[in-house]
Amino acid sequence: MFALALLAVLIVDPMAVLSAGFYLSFLAVFCIVYVLSARLGRERRLFSSLKVHGVVALSLSPVLLFFFQHVSIIAPIANIIAVPVVSFFVVPLSLIALGLLLVVPEIAVLLLQLIDYVLQNLWLVLQYLVDLPMASIVRPKPQLWQMLIAMLGILLLLAPRGIPGRLLGIILLLPVFLVKSDKPKLDEIYFTLLDVGQGLEVVVETAKHSLVFDTGARFSEKFDMGKNVILPFLHYRHITALDKLIISHADNDHIGGAKAVLNSIPTAQVLSSAPLQLAAYNATQCYAGYSWEWDQVRFQFLSPPKPMFQNENNNSCVLRISTSESSILLTGDIERAAENYLVQNASENLLSDILIAPHHGSKTSSSMSFLAQVNPQLILIPADAPNRFGFPHAEVIDRYKVISAHYLITGETGAISIKLANTKIQLKSYRNKHSHYWNR
């Protein structure tokens, strides 16, 4: 029956093999059947029910680490609470209410209100469990062979009593939990410009420190780029705490995901040109001249000045990051007034190998005098493709061509990862790396 169900799903939806849910669902069912079927002796029904939750949590852990770098420790307890409530209360009452809607709608409405009340309270309980300390484990992504060996270890651990060497399964399981993430060396940078559509999100890593610059947009109470893009990427890179979060300015496409990040991961310092927007997190003002050094990598704000500009875009925090051989300039949404200020007051610090295009390639930015002073080899444009603003504008692209700078647009390439090591700039884009025909 298991094999027939698998075949039926693949016939109806062959592309299901590209979904993590496909593997998680069938693996969970397989492990339940493997543990509870065709075993000698009888177990008490209550014990078997509790055992199922532990089996599912253990059996899915390598696959969850492979796909999400995240395993919930609290999941078995949450399932013990949620499964009986949904199975014996919510689902039966929902079916009864559905049957009564056309016959006795008044009673159906009362039942639906009762179901809603139960689900809301169940949600509060589950949210409390999720927020508990150590509710989950975050680890770097294991390689495919490590995940497969761990799955063999789980099958051995869950084998029937009497099978020799069952405890050796623990040894086979260990590799997925002992993976170490690749980190930069001294005087090196890992720089990732994430693809968040029309917005900006950057993650910078040095040997022992990490920084996030802007957090993309927030679209609703349930969806923002901080929760849905930055946090998964931080888990992927096994970044469990931030040394600094920098919000260039208060536009939604730059600050929208900040609260989700700050509420989910410890952050030592928050800097912004609009600190009042993040006063609850003790944000401080970014300003020209403020600098620090991590692991032989220098960070320096070149703008905004004191006093600040009247235009909020021009007040964006402008950050230059430099190793001994290479440099990157992050500009937020600055326009010509701020660019002129930088040319006049920070010209000696503007020269950079890589430029994050000001204001997503708007024609109010990227003036020739500014570009000439920066003189970048590579310009990265954080813009959706296409977008309603027409970014990057054709005349801006023409200016980039005049200075012979190569440019990439995140909406076309996906996330862009750069490793600055010595004099080398190693660049990878998500869509080139994952250029399967189904991703085009």
Side-chain angles (χ1 to χ4, degrees), residues 351-413:
L351 185 66
S352 300
D353 301 288
I354 301 170
L355 170 67
I356 308 304
H359 204 180
H360 317 282
S362 163
K363 61 184 177 182
T364 60
S365 305
S366 297
S367 61
M368 279 306 304
S369 60
F370 176 75
L371 292 174
Q373 200 70 52
V374 179
N375 194 27
Q377 302 173 27
L378 175 66
I379 300 176
L380 306 181
I381 307 171
D384 208 358
N387 60 79
R388 62 193 176 99
F389 304 103
F391 296 158
H393 280 283
E395 58 192 84
V396 172
I397 296 300
D398 289 340
R399 293 178 208 151
Y400 295 163
K401 291 178 179 178
V402 168
I403 62 169
S404 301
H406 181 59
Y407 67 90
L408 297 172
I409 305 171
T410 55
E412 296 176 351
T413 64

Side-chain angles (χ1 to χ4, degrees), residues 100 128 140 146 166 180 250 290-291 335 342 422 424 437:
L100 293 175
Y128 171 77
Q146 292 171 315
R166 288 172 64 206
K180 291 186 178 181
Y290 178 69
S291 64
E335 299 177 347
L342 289 169
N422 299 322
K424 296 180 180 179
Y437 70 89

Side-chain angles (χ1 to χ4, degrees), residues 97-112:
L98 185 63
L100 293 175
L101 270 175
L102 296 177
V103 183
V104 192
E106 294 81 6
I107 297 178
V109 169
L110 289 175
L111 289 176
L112 291 172

Side-chain angles (χ1 to χ4, degrees), residues 3 16 19 25 50 79 96 191 199 204 208 222 255 280 295 346 369 396 408:
S19 166
S25 298
L50 296 177
N79 286 335
I96 293 171
F191 178 96
V204 181
K208 297 180 181 179
K222 297 181 179 180
I255 197 176
D295 308 315
S369 60
V396 172
L408 297 172

Side-chain angles (χ1 to χ4, degrees), residues 118-300:
V118 170
L119 287 175
Q120 287 190 37
N121 283 279
L122 175 62
W123 179 261
L124 292 175
V125 173
L126 297 178
Q127 189 65 52
Y128 171 77
L129 293 174
V130 168
D131 292 336
L132 288 174
M134 298 299 294
S136 60
I137 297 175
V138 177
R139 298 298 304 163
K141 181 178 179 177
Q143 296 183 35
L144 180 61
W145 68 268
Q146 292 171 315
M147 182 193 72
L148 294 175
I149 287 177
M151 290 307 305
L152 290 175
I154 286 173
L155 291 178
L156 189 58
L157 280 172
L158 299 180
R161 294 178 183 177
I163 298 294
R166 288 172 64 206
L167 294 181
L168 292 176
I170 297 175
I171 298 175
L172 297 178
L173 188 59
L174 286 178
V176 294
F177 292 99
L178 299 178
V179 178
K180 291 186 178 181
S181 59
D182 178 33
K183 293 293 182 182
K185 299 176 183 178
L186 294 177
D187 195 30
E188 290 185 357
I189 298 172
Y190 287 180
F191 178 96
T192 306
L193 176 61
L194 295 168
D195 178 16
V196 292
Q198 196 61 35
L200 180 62
E201 283 185 357
V202 171
V203 178
V204 181
E205 302 170 66
T206 65
K208 297 180 181 179
H209 299 273
S210 56
L211 171 154
V212 167
F213 188 99
D214 283 344
T215 56
R218 180 173 182 266
F219 297 101
S220 70
E221 291 287 339
K222 297 181 179 180
F223 187 89
D224 66 69
M225 292 300 182
K227 177 181 178 181
N228 292 279
V229 178
I230 290 184
L231 290 176
F233 180 77
L234 295 179
H235 292 159
Y236 171 75
R237 292 295 304 151
H238 195 224
I239 297 173
T240 56
L242 292 174
D243 296 282
K244 293 185 190 293
L245 173 66
I246 299 171
I247 302 298
S248 64
H249 64 298
D251 281 358
N252 179 51
D253 58 333
H254 294 257
I255 197 176
K259 291 183 180 180
V261 173
L262 290 167
N263 290 337
S264 302
I265 187 167
T267 304
Q269 186 180 19
V270 181
L271 292 155
S272 176
S273 64
L276 293 179
Q277 299 285 340
L278 298 168
Y281 304 96
N282 299 317
T284 55
Q285 176 74 49
C286 65
Y287 58 89
Y290 178 69
S291 64
W292 68 95
E293 186 172 310
W294 288 339
D295 308 315
Q296 299 179 16
V297 177
R298 181 172 172 77
F299 297 77
Q300 182 180 9

